[in-house]
Amino acid sequence: MTDATTALLEFIQQYPRLLVLTGAGISTDSGIPDYRDQQGQWKRPQPVQHPDFMGCEHTRQRYWGRSLVGWPVMRDARPNPAHSALATLEQLGHMSLLVTQNVDGLHQRAGSEKVVDLHGRSDQVVCMSCSYRCSRDETHQRSAELNPEFIHYTATTAPDGDADLEVDFSRFRIPECDRCGGILKPDVVFFGDNVPKQRVADSLNALEAADGLLVIGSSLMVYSGFRFCRKAQEWNKPIAALTLGKTRADELLSLKLNAPITPLLQGVLNGLGQPPQPAANPVIRQPHRAAGGAPSITPESALPAPAAE
């Protein structure tokens, strides 16, 4: 058992009822790209902003056009062993609530039941005028039918159902609400929008009742996640972070584990007498999202390989 695995196992045993906060780094082993590098910096231009989406038709054309390429990757992603490991920790009574910043729904598909989707779910679409709801797949199919000339494009997948596609979107026909003709938007919190107050309140109530906070796969650069560390510090709750790289909360952490997520969580399950979790499907290996306290433990397997000369 590695030092990092031992440290997290002892943290869980010392603080047995944890609120767990997850970010994009836990889903990269499922083939979904993350937003930031190990320094917490953007890997690509920032994603769509809520005011731009609502106020600019071209922004919506570009969003839904790129989604024709990017959404199938999100839709077809499967939970990886890290998701399954957290579902097992919940079943063992070590997790009072799982709050995820991700919008992929993979925690629920892995078997977790006590989940708050802080930023919503990308598999649902809502009308911004009449609140009509439908599935993302339905909207995706309508987009394809309205824009057959766009379905042949391929591009590098970007986070949250986006794709790095740069073409002329001026003739892209945007699917509208079937009921009122209003603007359809994925039921997620875009950058520049606010997380629903009740969702935040429920999560903070669970944190106040928990023994500690465990952050997995998040750099915490966005305040909607960082606020939980601020509150944990205010309430004298210990905070551990498992993630590769820098986090916004480094100075607040009781334990920082700068390590790959999946093998460490599987090692913890072994330490708790649970069998390793099999992968749900073959995965695309990508670096975990940047993020990660005091003391800091970096296993040799997490160190970057030397650059080729």
Side-chain angles (χ1 to χ4, degrees), residues 127-182:
C127 173
M128 302 305 290
S129 296
C130 73
S131 300
Y132 168 76
R133 304 178 70 87
C134 62
S135 74
R136 180 70 172 268
D137 277 343
E138 180 181 338
T139 305
H140 180 80
Q141 182 61 34
R142 287 172 57 198
S143 290
E145 292 170 353
L146 289 169
N147 302 278
E149 68 275 21
F150 280 84
I151 61 176
H152 70 278
Y153 286 120
T154 59
T156 303
T157 302
D160 292 343
D162 192 12
D164 293 328
L165 179 65
E166 297 298 342
V167 297
D168 181 5
F169 293 105
S170 61
R171 293 196 289 179
F172 188 89
R173 298 176 62 191
I174 305 170
E176 298 176 341
C177 175
D178 280 343
R179 292 186 177 177
C180 73

Side-chain angles (χ1 to χ4, degrees), residues 10 34 38 69 138 141 144 182 199 205 226 230 234 237 250 261 290 301:
E10 291 176 349
D34 51 7
Q38 293 193 26
V69 177
E138 180 181 338
Q141 182 61 34
R199 209 175 286 172
N205 288 339
F226 178 64
R230 292 278 298 271
E234 178 184 326
K237 307 282 186 182
D250 277 356
I261 294 169
S301 60

